[in-house]
Amino acid sequence: MDDIALAEVTRGGRVESLHHGRIAVMDDTGRVVRALGAIDKPIFPRSTVKALLALPLVETGAADRLGLADAELALACASHGGEIRHAETAASMLAKAGQGLTCLECGAHWPTYDAAAHALAATGAQPTALHNNCSGKHAGLICLSIDQSLDPAGYIDPGHEAQRQVTEALVMATSVPHNETNRGLDGCSMPTYAIPLAALATGFARFGTGRNFSSGHASAAARLRSAVASDPFMVAGSGRFDTTLMAHFGNRIFCKMGAEGVMVASLPDLGLGVAIKTDDGANRAAEVALAALLLDLGALLWNDTDREVLAGLAHQVMKNWNGREVGTLRAAGKG
């Protein structure tokens, strides 16, 4: 099946650009609810699976024994913008594990949120690994390692015991193999595994309902969803799609953007999971496509304010540097 147009950019009343891709909507049994494009084709989920990787941190009791707060659990699921609170929360997680900055193996980069990068540069300081958008995920792996009396060094390697546990969580959720045959290397040096888009969507249906999870993992998923709902800023940051969507919907929707135009969502009340992949890796296209899809899927659930929020995310006005409207970014065919 050919991939379809997911989003379009307009200018002067004409479609200027098109973003193509695929969408899988699955229930927690693995049944296809909606398929647009080649949903059985493997993709690298990238950062979309961070909440699944955080399951062992909670399920083993490590989070409780180390006294991790909701904000810290939310950061473990995050691709954050490197704002002050993000970096401070990552540092707090490490401190609770008795570790410091040098334990992080994700590498350093400037905050992806421009205002945070400018503010840091104005102080004359350089970014550290705490500003890496994946620092919360890495801090979570370090916390898991320390709690289980493991040497955290090399926690990013597939053979490390903590890495083995989080990979098993991915297999449990998606019901597909994660091994050397489909392994790649993510931007933060953690493994990422190519799996069918349909399997990724199934995993997030189960993240919302607990199906196919042990009772401990199901409770961990519920706690992580609650932590994210209570502090969605930690998962992304200022002005981000994920933050806006989850700040409004709370526990009703979990969503997570990943690199190269991968997006997932969990809809616990409907027992559904969504996975989107854009062919050109455009995150903006995945975002508007998800908003439009949610408008449709939750038609009987959403109130007027819900629909207004989703409509605004699915059809965004684009302005130039003078603040003048130049066009729109919208779900394809929704003009």
Side-chain angles (χ1 to χ4, degrees), residues 150-175:
L150 300 171
D151 182 351
Y155 67 84
I156 59 175
D157 297 328
H160 193 281
E161 173 59 21
Q163 194 65 230
R164 185 189 64 78
Q165 291 181 39
V166 299
T167 303
E168 286 178 353
L170 296 177
V171 174
M172 174 188 65
T174 62
S175 296

Side-chain angles (χ1 to χ4, degrees), residues 153-213:
Y155 67 84
I156 59 175
D157 297 328
H160 193 281
E161 173 59 21
Q163 194 65 230
R164 185 189 64 78
Q165 291 181 39
V166 299
T167 303
E168 286 178 353
L170 296 177
V171 174
M172 174 188 65
T174 62
S175 296
V176 293
H178 288 63
N179 55 43
E180 66 280 357
T181 66
N182 61 342
R183 183 189 302 139
L185 192 65
D186 215 330
C188 66
S189 294
M190 284 265 288
T192 182
Y193 297 87
I195 63 173
L197 194 68
L200 182 60
T202 299
F204 279 92
R206 293 169 174 171
F207 183 70
T209 68
R211 186 184 181 96
N212 210 53
F213 286 18

Side-chain angles (χ1 to χ4, degrees), residues 22-310:
R22 317 163 237 163
I23 299 176
V25 182
M26 309 291 289
D27 72 11
D28 61 7
T29 70
R31 179 179 66 89
V32 177
V33 175
R34 188 173 302 185
L36 301 174
I39 67 169
D40 290 329
K41 184 178 177 181
I43 60 104
F44 285 107
R46 305 296 297 274
S47 290
T48 62
V49 295
K50 286 178 177 175
L52 302 180
L53 296 174
L55 288 169
L57 177 64
V58 178
E59 189 273 337
T60 61
D64 285 335
R65 285 187 288 270
L66 293 174
L68 298 184
D70 279 355
E72 292 164 328
L73 292 179
L75 194 76
C77 304
S79 295
H80 61 75
E83 297 176 65
I84 291 174
R85 189 163 166 240
H86 295 135
E88 290 178 345
T89 302
S92 173
M93 294 173 72
L94 294 174
K96 289 180 177 180
Q99 303 297 306
L101 171 61
T102 58
C103 200
L104 289 171
E105 299 181 15
C106 53
H109 63 67
W110 285 96
T112 56
Y113 181 56
D114 285 346
H118 295 159
L120 182 63
T123 69
Q126 292 292 312
T128 72
L130 295 172
H131 298 101
N132 187 303
N133 76 97
C134 296
S135 64
K137 174 181 72 174
H138 285 249
L141 265 291
I142 291 167
C143 286
L144 178 63
S145 298
I146 293 298
D147 177 76
Q148 298 192 359
S149 301
L150 300 171
D151 182 351
Y155 67 84
I156 59 175
D157 297 328
H160 193 281
E161 173 59 21
Q163 194 65 230
R164 185 189 64 78
Q165 291 181 39
V166 299
T167 303
E168 286 178 353
L170 296 177
V171 174
M172 174 188 65
T174 62
S175 296
V176 293
H178 288 63
N179 55 43
E180 66 280 357
T181 66
N182 61 342
R183 183 189 302 139
L185 192 65
D186 215 330
C188 66
S189 294
M190 284 265 288
T192 182
Y193 297 87
I195 63 173
L197 194 68
L200 182 60
T202 299
F204 279 92
R206 293 169 174 171
F207 183 70
T209 68
R211 186 184 181 96
N212 210 53
F213 286 18
S214 68
S215 60
H217 284 100
S219 295
R223 183 171 173 191
L224 288 168
R225 294 198 319 272
S226 178
V228 167
S230 71
D231 204 345
F233 169 83
M234 299 308 297
V235 178
S238 300
R240 294 275 290 279
F241 177 94
D242 301 25
T243 303
T244 300
L245 188 68
M246 293 190 290
H248 176 77
F249 283 92
N251 238 329
R252 293 180 292 162
I253 297 176
F254 171 88
C255 74
K256 181 70 183 67
M257 190 76 232
E260 298 299 330
V262 188
M263 169 69 83
V264 298
S266 178
L267 308 174
D269 293 341
L270 293 175
L272 299 179
V274 177
I276 299 172
K277 174 69 175 84
T278 63
D279 291 343
D280 60 1
N283 288 3
R284 67 178 185 176
E287 292 173 352
V288 297
L290 176 62
L293 178 66
L294 291 173
L295 263 174
D296 185 25
L297 289 176
L300 299 179
L301 292 178
W302 312 141
N303 59 38
D304 288 345
T305 305
D306 297 338
R307 286 188 283 272
E308 183 179 349
V309 169
L310 290 172

